[in-house]
Amino acid sequence: MFEAYWRANGDSCTTVILGWEQMSYFASRKHFLWFVEQELENEIRQLHSLVGNAVTDGRFIVVGTGSTQLFQAALYAVSPRDGAQPASVVSAVPYYSSYPVLTDYLKSGIHKWAGDAANFHLADSSSSSSYIELVTSPNNPDGSMKHAVVQGSGPVIYDLAYYWPHYTPITAAAEHDMMLFTVSKCTGHAGSRIGWAIVKDAQVAQNMAKFIELNTIGVSHDSQLRAAQILKSISGRLFHFGYSEMSRRWDLLQQAVKVSDRFSLPEFSPAFCAFFGQVTSPHPAFAWLKCNRDSDCKEVLKLGGVLSRSGVQFGVGPDYVRISMLDREGNFETFIARLSDMAAASLASTAASYQEQML
Amino acid sequence: MFEAYWRANGDSCTTVILGWEQMSYFASRKHFLWFVEQELENEIRQLHSLVGNAVTDGRFIVVGTGSTQLFQAALYAVSPRDGAQPASVVSAVPYYSSYPVLTDYLKSGIHKWAGDAANFHLADSSSSSSYIELVTSPNNPDGSMKHAVVQGSGPVIYDLAYYWPHYTPITAAAEHDMMLFTVSKCTGHAGSRIGWAIVKDAQVAQNMAKFIELNTIGVSHDSQLRAAQILKSISGRLFHFGYSEMSRRWDLLQQAVKVSDRFSLPEFSPAFCAFFGQVTSPHPAFAWLKCNRDSDCKEVLKLGGVLSRSGVQFGVGPDYVRISMLDREGNFETFIARLSDMAAASLASTAASYQEQML
């Protein structure tokens, strides 16, 4: 979706790397965040100060190979080292479908997936009650604003990948202990694999750096250099472009859905956005679509030529699916056309079955 | 070490990335290696065909975020999924010091570090006898050529990071089932975090791709583009530069060591290098230094102003240390000067203690 913007406005962020530059593993030999390029760190702080979506003062910026790596680094950083039991990792449904597999693919003995945070109850014994809560806000898949729900004092990892003005009103600067962001959802540069965490506690930041050292010996310095250049070139214009584009796409989606009652979408409330200085509407990066009559929504959409991810993967029923709203324009138009057909076909078949009943 | 070469010869590998390029997660949507840039894959195959150090025909090229990630991907790929017991990961001493921690930092239930391969014996029960052997050749830390030693049919991961003509004679094209390489040890571009695996079996390559998808959702496309450009510019000249530079450095090291019997180095046999078409001598990337009189070699070197890694971390005694031979010229010269001082001081103190005995 952002490609059109960068084609029109990308002149200031061409990246040039000479053959003998960026050769070392190290950006700095003095700091425990030895792989973080100072220039990128500065641009990240500036960007948050421009947008007002997160507090960075007095906090560490841990750069990672996308927020996926940072998520795993954060889990590692707050999991008990000497615990007999792995920490229970929980997130309220519908949760991001990758959380269970990212937590468990190595059958780790320090953390294990434990499902819906709303159903998680701390055990009486403190030794077995260690947990980590994951909160994505705005939420992936459904776009709602989320908060921690477990009644406890365990660590909470906030994935704020979508907390940018094109997706949702910026109502306040977030100031949680651990917050994850990624270039891909801010500017569209997913291919660079650059994300960052804003971390309050020095020991947690140090543990995350250790994970990134073990996992990939730091983070591509070519990509860090490029990300710095891209973030530097961000002005309000990117978010205005993003907002109007998402607004147009959501209008098309809502028009397609409302021709029948076959599908429905979540409701979102407008709010005052401190960045735009006016009331704006949420425009999530995903359509969280409900099939009101069909039990297997993914299958229905597939028959209609639309690929989606089933609600089952997000911890809820197969009557929900998630569809990206950020695809290239051509793909998005195809999606809307096919969804419209399915919604209208449903109308025709309702009329047909009504007629049958009359006969 | 390679910086000087690229300053002089790097004009053809300046990387330019425009603002709207390399934005997608995907390089190809048709292949299970969806994140691998075709251009980089082609250059990797060409390079091996130029150097003759590995067979790539009919094999998969799995690109990763450095060979550290690929090592973890390979472990994941060949570890038993449904085994009650984690696979035992072994490597003959002295082994690369990172292997134990990379295997165990997440307390994985699919693989666990089990130490020296020479001491590993397969259990009688086949259910508990699953193992994975790691072979680094030329070896890190000691530069020797290694082979699998476990008498069994378990998977062997070959780390061939140093199997390039500047480090060792290329005696044959390696054709093991899993072979790891990295840009950093070939050209010096460690900061790009690009490595690759040459993999024979499709299922293993697919499992490795799955690991890289889960771990970092692919590999930086900026870095892949740059690595392709760097590999494309490689000619015989790089290896001639590397060989003569390593040769000069090893001569200096050997001169420094031989003034007394305080330190010693491994012996290496020259062999016919098919790439250079003549007999060449091994010049490993590390000095594997033995202290012949002091029990804590690392401490001795530290007092003399040289930082090193203790043999203990490589599975042997504290009388050994590993020191990089690839540092920048200034640091290398400092190392040689300090080592010479220590070797000569030892001579003086030997003379002094001899005199004392005479009194």
Side-chain angles (χ1 to χ4, degrees), chain A residues 18-19 106 108 189 192 220 222-223, chain B residues 19 106 108 189 192 220 222-223:
Chain A
L18 304 180
L106 290 169
S108 174
H189 292 86
S192 295
S220 164
D222 308 328
S223 281
Chain B
L106 289 169
S108 174
H189 293 86
S192 295
S220 164
D222 308 329
S223 281

Side-chain angles (χ1 to χ4, degrees), chain A residues 127-184:
Chain A
S127 69
S128 62
S129 67
S130 143
Y131 76 97
I132 301 164
E133 183 169 359
L134 314 176
V135 177
T136 308
S137 183
N139 195 29
N140 174 358
D142 70 357
S144 63
M145 299 305 289
K146 300 283 283 274
H147 296 282
V149 301
V150 177
Q151 302 292 322
S153 56
V156 185
I157 301 170
Y158 280 87
D159 182 346
L160 303 185
Y162 303 98
Y163 194 44
W164 296 103
H166 33 256
Y167 302 121
T168 200
I170 303 302
T171 53
E175 45 182 346
H176 308 292
D177 289 356
M178 281 185 282
M179 303 185 280
L180 309 184
F181 287 92
T182 165
V183 168
S184 69

Side-chain angles (χ1 to χ4, degrees), chain B residues 40-61:
Chain B
L40 177 56
E41 181 184 334
N42 295 347
E43 294 303 334
I44 288 167
R45 291 184 190 275
Q46 287 252 328
L47 178 62
H48 286 298
S49 133
L50 169 75
V51 175
N53 59 343
V55 172
T56 64
D57 284 353
R59 286 152 195 259
F60 299 94
I61 305 292

